[in-house]
Amino acid sequence: MGKVTDNAGISGAVGTVIYSNWREIKYMKSRGQVSKKKPSPKQLEQRARVGMVSPFVYSMKALLEKTFINFAVGKTGTNAAISYNLKNCIAGAYPALFIDYSLALVSRGDLPNAAVPVVAVGDNGQVGFQWIDNSGTGQAKPTDKCIAVVYCLELNCTMYSDGAATRKDGSLILDAHQLNGKTVETWLVIISVNGVEVANSVYTGQVVVL
C-alpha cells in the first residue's frame, strides 16, 4: 500500500507501481511479475555467483563505502564492490564455483599501494602486516592511512584496523583473537588522509589465526 509522507511525497506500492527514493532522488518503477518459468542454466549460474559474492561483500559494507567511493557513481560503494568482484574474482566452472580471493578487491583506486606488503600471525590472535614505505611514488604520501583487512569465510565475518597506522610506519598489528583457530583471507588497504584517494587493495594471503 502506498502512503503520503509529510513532504507530500509518495512512497511504497500503489497498484502495479512502486514509488521510492534513494539519496533524495525520487523515482518509480513497475512491480515485477512473478515468473512461472523454470530458470535457465545461465540464470542459475548467475544466482550462484551473486549468492557467493554478496555475503563476502556485505560482511565489510561499512569499509567498502569508503574504499569504493570513487566508483560509487549512481550506486553505493557496496554495490560497486559487488559489481567488480562478480566480474573478476569468481573462478571454476558452474556448479563448482569458488571465490579466488587473490583476485578480489576490497578497495579500488589509483593511489599507489605500499610496496611488498606481507602478513604474519603471532600469539593471542595478533595478525601482523608489514610493508615498505614507498612515499613519493606517484601520489603516495607518508601520511596515507593503512588498513589491515581479514575475512573469515567460515563465519562470514570481516575485521579491519582503524586506519591509525600510516604508510611511513611500515607495519601494524590487527587484534583478531575472536577468530582464533579460523582460516582468514587478508588484504592491505591504503587511503589518503582526506579519504579521496584510494589504492587497489593488495591480497596478502591466507593465514590461520593463532
Side-chain angles (χ1 to χ4, degrees), residues 5-19:
T5 61
D6 292 340
N7 64 357
I10 300 175
S11 66
V14 179
T16 60
V17 178
I18 298 174
Y19 295 84

Side-chain angles (χ1 to χ4, degrees), residues 64-73 77 80 108-111 191-192 195-199:
L64 296 172
E65 292 305 320
K66 301 174 183 177
T67 60
F68 270 77
I69 187 172
N70 295 320
F71 295 86
V73 180
R108 189 178 179 200
D110 297 326
L111 185 69
I191 305 177
S192 61
V196 173
E197 301 298 327
V198 182

Side-chain angles (χ1 to χ4, degrees), residues 184-195:
V184 298
E185 314 295 336
T186 67
W187 295 264
L188 184 68
V189 169
I190 294 189
I191 305 177
S192 61
V193 170
N194 61 10

Side-chain angles (χ1 to χ4, degrees), residues 38-123:
K38 239 180 132 177
S40 67
K42 192 169 184 179
Q43 288 173 320
L44 290 172
E45 179 177 349
Q46 183 62 13
R47 290 179 187 178
R49 288 172 175 267
V50 172
M52 295 175 68
V53 169
S54 293
F56 164 59
V57 169
Y58 277 101
S59 74
M60 56 186 82
K61 181 177 179 180
L63 176 66
L64 296 172
E65 292 305 320
K66 301 174 183 177
T67 60
F68 270 77
I69 187 172
N70 295 320
F71 295 86
V73 180
K75 64 177 77 173
T76 65
T78 303
N79 286 340
I82 288 176
S83 296
Y84 177 87
N85 286 298
L86 271 175
K87 294 176 183 175
N88 295 282
C89 78
I90 302 293
Y94 180 76
L97 299 172
F98 62 95
I99 295 179
D100 184 339
Y101 292 102
S102 70
L103 301 177
L105 287 185
V106 300
S107 70
R108 189 178 179 200
D110 297 326
L111 185 69
N113 208 300
V116 199
V118 294
V119 65
V121 293
D123 295 333

